[in-house]
């Protein structure tokens, strides 16, 4: 199962600087010639694939990117300085489309791949260049060219980095909404009734990961009943699992038993899933008075004999979520970039 992360941005290359019209005028040199320099060319905009970036989420915050204009030419045959190019970093695998024509401009498949998406304007021509035997004092110049402007659509197929498991009503969907900065779309999703709930969690600039809530992971799923099996398959491709637990279920079921039921489900599907990094995310802590939360959670952890990491959060009250996101990012970065392919 692949998801599509996308962003639309506008890029503008710099305008070329105008050519100068100037004549050398020195006190003892009355017939100084034309000396207007050329304008500098405008900066271009490039997109470059960078392995350290996972998602396009940063391009949802800032959407307009402009390279510098070239400087105009000056007297004494001085050319204007060229405008600096602008190079934007995007994840490896980013496809770049012209948003207006739908044309595929480039597909940056390997780290370091680079595409020019907006060409800088040509520098103008100064009058010095128009000097000839018949015209020793040309006033003619050529202005700088306009830089290209383009609307781009960036698309990236992503796999979820973090998968959520837990019983229905544990608060998985709520947790994703509370943590997410953006919602990727689903690519070629075969089911019409049940959609995984996805989010991009943005931790800092260029630090983000994709999280997926996989509905349907309920008792019986491992036997292939219903759609659960599809989600279990997907779970096995994520690098980190959050096991979300309602610490105060309304049906008064025991959170410990609820955790064990899911653990059992994972094991039945594939015992190797139990080797996967799984963090206990004790959720809905807002339902208890603050001073009781720690003891209540300690008790669950102890009864579970849980050896892994534990996070105490509330999706609704947005408690503990930043730490959870930050720790997940550290973990994923420590794992390196996954080249795991699915489908
Ligand atoms: P999911 O089935 O695991 O996706 O669970 P949902 O996110 O749909 O939440 C199930 C129910 O629990 C909803 O009524 C939510 O409003 C509620 N809920 C989710 N997170 C919290 C939380 O942190 N605190 C409280 N008090 N309720 C929550
Ligand atoms: Mg849900």
């Amino acid at each position: 199962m692949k998801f599509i992360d996308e962003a639309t941005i506008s890029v503008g290359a710099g305008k070329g600087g105008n050519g100068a019209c100037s004549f050398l005028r020195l006190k003892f040199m009355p017939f100084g010639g034309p000396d207007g320099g050329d304008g500098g060319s405008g900066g271009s905009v490039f997109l470059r694939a960078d392995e350290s970036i996972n998602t396009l989420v940063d391009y949802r915050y800032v959407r307009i990117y402009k390279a510098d204009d070239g400087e105009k030419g000056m007297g004494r045959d001085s050319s204007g300085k060229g405008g600096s190019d602008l190079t934007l970093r995007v994840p490896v695998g980013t496809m770049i489309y012209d948003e207006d024509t739908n044309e595929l401009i480039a597909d940056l498949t390997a780290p370091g791949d680079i595409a020019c998406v907006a060409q800088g304007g040509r520098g103008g021509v100064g009058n010095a260049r128009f000097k000839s035997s018949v015209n020793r004092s040309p006033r003619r110049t050529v202005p700088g060219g306009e830089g290209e402007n383009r609307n781009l659509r960036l698309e990236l197929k992503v796999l979820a980095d973090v998968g959520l498991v837990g019983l229905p009503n544990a608060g998985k969907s709520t947790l994703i909404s509370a943590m997410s900065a953006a919602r990727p779309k689903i690519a070629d999703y075969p089911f019409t009734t049940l959609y995984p709930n996805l989010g991009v969690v943005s931790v800092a600039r260029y630090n983000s990961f994709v999280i997926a809530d996989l509905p349907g992971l309920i008792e019986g799923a491992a036997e292939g009943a219903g759609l659960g099996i599809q989600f279990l398959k997907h779970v096995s491709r994520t690098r980190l699992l959050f096991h979300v637990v309602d610490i105060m279920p309304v049906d008064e079921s025991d959170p410990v038993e609820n955790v064990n039921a899911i653990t059992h489900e994972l094991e039945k599907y594939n015992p190797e899933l139990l080797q996967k990094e799984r963090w206990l995310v004790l959720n809905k802590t807002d339902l208890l008075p603050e001073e009781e939360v720690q003891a209540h959670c300690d008790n669950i952890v102890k009864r579970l004999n849980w050896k892994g990491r534990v996070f105490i959060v509330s999706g609704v009250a947005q408690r503990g979520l930043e730490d959870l996101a930050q720790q997940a990012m550290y973990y994923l970065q420590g794992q390196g970039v996954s080249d795991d392919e699915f489908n």
Side-chain angles (χ1 to χ4, degrees):
M1 202 181 305
K2 274 197 182 135
F3 311 120
I4 298 179
D5 188 18
E6 65 175 16
T8 48
I9 60 172
S10 296
V11 291
K15 185 183 176 306
N18 292 333
C21 181
S22 164
F23 294 90
L24 184 62
R25 296 200 199 283
L26 292 175
K27 209 170 175 185
F28 303 107
M29 224 182 120
F31 301 112
D35 69 353
D38 296 341
S41 52
S44 298
V45 183
F46 296 90
L47 263 56
R48 196 182 65 224
D50 186 319
E51 270 180 306
S52 65
I53 304 176
N54 284 11
T55 75
L56 294 168
V57 71
D58 294 300
Y59 294 103
R60 294 183 185 234
Y61 298 128
V62 182
R63 307 189 109 142
I64 297 175
Y65 295 88
K66 225 186 149 314
D68 289 340
D69 291 340
E71 286 176 9
K72 60 184 194 303
M74 283 154 295
R76 306 209 168 193
D77 289 315
S78 296
S79 302
K81 234 176 75 191
S84 301
D85 292 335
L86 180 64
T87 302
L88 306 174
R89 300 196 285 157
V90 295
V92 175
T94 299
M95 320 241 309
I96 307 163
Y97 292 90
D98 185 309
E99 171 74 343
D100 302 312
T101 64
N102 243 347
E103 170 205 0
L104 177 66
I105 299 171
D107 184 0
L108 306 181
T109 54
D113 279 0
I114 191 161
C116 179
V117 290
Q119 183 71 51
R122 269 185 305 107
V125 182
N127 70 331
R129 295 209 189 233
F130 293 101
K131 184 171 131 183
S132 67
S133 54
V134 291
N135 187 353
R136 290 174 181 277
S137 310
R139 308 199 68 85
R140 192 174 153 206
T141 63
V142 176
E146 290 299 325
E148 261 185 309
N149 287 298
R150 245 169 164 172
N151 297 314
L152 303 178
R153 187 174 76 253
L154 310 182
E155 285 191 6
L156 174 71
K157 289 203 175 68
V158 293
L159 295 162
D161 303 295
V162 175
L164 299 197
V165 296
L167 286 183
N169 280 321
K172 302 182 295 299
S173 303
T174 308
L175 199 65
I176 290 198
S177 311
M179 293 179 86
S180 299
R183 296 303 180 83
K185 287 196 306 200
I186 292 148
D188 306 327
Y189 192 61
F191 309 111
T192 49
T193 51
L194 215 43
Y195 287 87
N197 186 359
L198 289 170
V200 175
V201 180
S202 178
V203 178
R205 192 140 191 245
Y206 300 131
N207 272 313
S208 51
F209 60 87
V210 178
I211 185 169
D213 156 22
L214 310 157
L217 185 62
I218 48 171
E219 299 232 40
E223 273 105 52
L227 303 171
I229 194 92
Q230 297 295 335
F231 297 112
L232 276 169
K233 252 189 206 160
H234 190 244
V235 162
S236 57
R237 302 291 164 152
T238 59
R239 291 184 281 157
L240 172 62
L241 299 177
F242 291 171
H243 191 150
V244 184
V245 187
D246 181 345
I247 62 161
M248 292 290 284
V250 277
D251 62 6
E252 302 197 341
S253 57
D254 181 359
V256 171
E257 279 172 24
N258 294 344
V259 171
N260 288 334
I262 294 291
T263 304
H264 185 59
E265 236 9 79
L266 294 173
E267 183 179 23
K268 254 202 300 189
Y269 174 70
N270 181 353
E272 280 172 24
L273 278 182
L274 299 190
Q275 307 306 314
K276 192 179 283 286
E277 183 81 3
R278 181 161 43 119
W279 295 353
L280 202 59
V281 177
L282 300 176
N283 192 26
K284 307 200 188 180
T285 55
D286 58 292
L287 293 174
L288 276 177
E290 226 174 299
E291 61 277 13
E292 290 175 30
V293 169
Q294 192 65 48
H296 185 87
C297 291
D298 287 348
N299 183 260
I300 293 173
V301 171
K302 190 163 157 248
R303 287 174 57 220
L304 276 169
N305 195 21
W306 188 268
K307 298 278 185 266
R309 299 184 69 176
V310 178
F311 291 84
I312 296 176
V313 309
S314 163
V316 163
Q318 308 241 351
R319 248 187 241 160
L321 303 185
E322 276 182 29
D323 184 46
L324 179 60
Q326 182 69 68
Q327 296 302 321
M329 193 75 235
Y330 286 147
Y331 179 80
L332 295 169
Q333 284 171 338
Q335 294 274 298
V337 174
S338 165
D339 54 5
D340 207 357
E341 274 294 315
F342 192 55
N343 280 346

